[in-house]
Amino acid sequence: MKLVIAIIQSSKLDMVMKALDEKEIYLKTVSTVLGCGRQKGVSEVYRGVREAGNLLKKVRLEIGVNDEYLEKTIEAIIKAAQTGKIGDGKIFVVDLAECIRIRTGERGHSAIG
């Protein structure tokens, strides 16, 4: 089991969600976050508003997947979020020690879905 954490541009969220749904990856958690990367002090214009480069609005996706879904998940995120410009984001993959479905008490691979 793996936990895939993707930090992407807010404007790409709908495309990424659709790409994940097409790969039958339905269980996702989405948060709005602030962060900075290689932009450092460079400001950018986003939807007509100039934002300081040190903290830009991003979206954080967290997706728990069984090992056989890992590559499909990564491919879907990259395909939908990539623009080829600085600020496209990052994907982190972390080993997931345990998953427990609260409703049934199931554990492990079956609890993820």
Side-chain angles (χ1 to χ4, degrees), residues 1-5 63-65 67 70 92-99 112:
M1 296 181 301
K2 304 291 184 195
L3 179 61
V4 178
I5 302 167
I63 307 163
V65 296
D67 292 334
L70 179 61
F92 305 99
V93 179
V94 181
D95 285 327
L96 191 57
E98 185 68 89
C99 178
I112 287 183

Side-chain angles (χ1 to χ4, degrees), residues 3-64:
L3 179 61
V4 178
I5 302 167
I7 309 296
I8 62 169
Q9 293 181 17
S10 304
S11 61
K12 293 292 188 173
L13 178 60
D14 289 338
M15 292 174 66
V16 170
M17 296 293 271
K18 182 179 178 184
L20 290 167
D21 287 345
E22 288 172 358
K23 298 280 187 175
E24 299 180 343
I25 300 158
Y26 303 114
L27 307 172
K28 305 168 278 266
T29 301
V30 180
S31 306
T32 302
V33 295
L34 296 174
C36 64
R38 292 191 177 187
Q39 300 98 330
K40 297 184 180 165
V42 178
S43 61
E44 292 186 352
V45 177
Y46 176 73
R47 294 188 179 181
V49 177
R50 183 165 295 282
E51 296 181 340
N54 55 351
L55 287 178
L56 298 174
K57 292 178 187 173
K58 298 283 185 172
V59 172
R60 177 182 169 131
L61 289 165
E62 296 182 51
I63 307 163

Side-chain angles (χ1 to χ4, degrees), residues 50-109:
R50 183 165 295 282
E51 296 181 340
N54 55 351
L55 287 178
L56 298 174
K57 292 178 187 173
K58 298 283 185 172
V59 172
R60 177 182 169 131
L61 289 165
E62 296 182 51
I63 307 163
V65 296
N66 287 315
D67 292 334
E68 61 268 19
Y69 282 87
L70 179 61
E71 286 306 315
K72 292 194 322 184
T73 303
I74 292 169
E75 290 170 9
I77 294 167
I78 290 173
K79 181 180 174 187
Q82 189 175 54
T83 68
K85 298 178 183 174
I86 290 177
D88 278 354
K90 294 273 191 294
I91 298 173
F92 305 99
V93 179
V94 181
D95 285 327
L96 191 57
E98 185 68 89
C99 178
I100 303 163
R101 186 182 311 245
I102 294 172
R103 178 177 53 87
T104 63
E106 288 175 274
R107 292 177 173 257
H109 299 283

